Amino acid sequence: MASALRAAILGHIRVPVAQTLTLNGSKLSLFGAVRSMSSHGDDHLTREEVIDRVLDVVKSFPKVDASKVSPDVHFQKDLGLDSLDNVEIVFALEEEFKLEIPDIEADKIDSCPLAIEYIYNHPMAG
Amino acid sequence: MSASASYLARRAVQKERVRILYRRALKDTLNWAVHRHLFYQDASELREKFDANKNVEGIETIERLIADGEAAYNKWRHPDPYIGKYYRKSFISP
């Protein structure tokens, strides 16, 4: 009985793996760290919270049609923004999550999935 | 003009330089703006300066404009930049 219960629980626990993203065909490993299931994971943002707040920032951008925003959108390809708008959005995300992103990393964030992934994996996101 | 690989590579590098320059200048604008509404005004003007050159053609002209922009940025960089989290002004000296 206990082993069946244990199996059922394990079937529902998501085991974190090293996050690697494919960017233009090349592997981009953000931090390359395995997210450990530490007991003080409570003070880190949940994925849902990151998604909600990222979408809010993007939707609030004046040039954006909020109805087109989803967690999958590419800022330039789907929302019709240009590269400088992209810079402004990343800057707004840094302010929202109280992060300092290095210029080279920031320049690569050009979509909601990348923004969400980067912020969710950043230990200092608040 | 035929779009040779080296030309495209050069243009790609230029575009990256522009993005990075805009990002740094935008952040520096925040350093200079004592009040938030000033930041929005200055940021708006900064964007207009970049947009004015959006459709400039000629790789050497573009090169010169970027160099001018980077020089202007270096000249006007805030001498005491705010290092840290932008959302909260720290009253403890760095």
Side-chain angles (χ1 to χ4, degrees):
Chain A
M1 175 62 111
S3 63
L5 181 62
R6 182 170 174 272
I9 292 171
L10 284 176
H12 282 90
I13 292 176
R14 183 169 61 105
V15 179
V17 294
Q19 300 275 352
T20 57
L21 296 178
T22 306
L23 183 70
N24 293 332
S26 63
K27 283 239 164 104
L28 169 68
S29 177
L30 296 178
F31 294 105
V34 175
R35 284 183 56 77
S36 61
M37 289 164 43
S38 67
S39 58
H40 40 76
D42 289 344
D43 43 3
H44 195 272
L45 303 176
T46 65
R47 193 183 185 83
E48 290 69 35
E49 189 178 353
V50 172
I51 293 173
D52 283 345
R53 287 166 64 190
V54 167
L55 294 188
D56 274 348
V57 168
V58 177
K59 285 178 188 174
S60 307
F61 197 72
K63 297 177 193 176
V64 164
D65 176 357
S67 65
K68 291 186 181 170
V69 178
S70 77
D72 315 309
V73 296
H74 188 279
F75 299 145
Q76 293 170 59
K77 292 177 193 165
D78 298 322
L79 301 179
L81 302 175
D82 69 17
S83 59
L84 298 190
D85 296 324
N86 202 131
V87 169
E88 291 176 24
I89 284 191
V90 173
F91 187 46
L93 288 169
E94 283 178 273
E95 294 206 289
E96 169 66 22
F97 290 96
K98 308 166 184 87
L99 292 176
E100 285 256 25
I101 304 178
D103 291 341
I104 303 170
E105 294 289 334
D107 194 52
K108 294 177 185 150
I109 299 172
D110 60 2
S111 67
C112 277
L114 278 179
I116 291 164
E117 214 54 47
Y118 185 91
I119 293 165
Y120 179 59
N121 284 289
H122 199 301
M124 300 299 295
Chain B
M1 179 195 312
S2 63
S4 67
S6 64
Y7 169 81
L8 290 172
R10 246 188 109 184
R11 287 292 294 120
V13 168
Q14 285 182 335
K15 287 177 190 178
E16 188 187 65
R17 278 172 75 190
V18 170
R19 293 194 303 269
I20 302 287
L21 176 63
Y22 181 62
R23 177 173 155 82
R24 290 183 180 163
L26 190 59
K27 290 202 164 188
D28 203 54
T29 303
L30 190 60
N31 284 326
W32 280 109
V34 178
H35 297 289
R36 187 75 187 183
H37 73 277
L38 291 175
F39 164 67
Y40 290 124
Q41 285 172 12
D42 292 345
S44 191
E45 285 172 20
L46 176 71
R47 178 65 194 254
E48 278 170 24
K49 285 182 191 167
F50 275 72
D51 279 343
N53 294 318
K54 190 175 176 179
N55 296 312
V56 167
E57 289 176 19
I59 201 164
E60 298 304 336
T61 307
I62 294 170
E63 189 70 34
R64 186 177 50 79
L65 285 170
I66 296 175
D68 288 349
E70 287 171 350
Y73 165 69
N74 283 316
K75 182 178 175 187
W76 291 109
R77 276 174 79 176
H78 195 283
D80 183 21
Y82 183 64
I83 307 279
K85 298 177 180 157
Y86 287 105
Y87 75 100
R88 176 169 52 88
K89 282 281 181 191
S90 171
F91 296 103
I92 303 167
S93 58

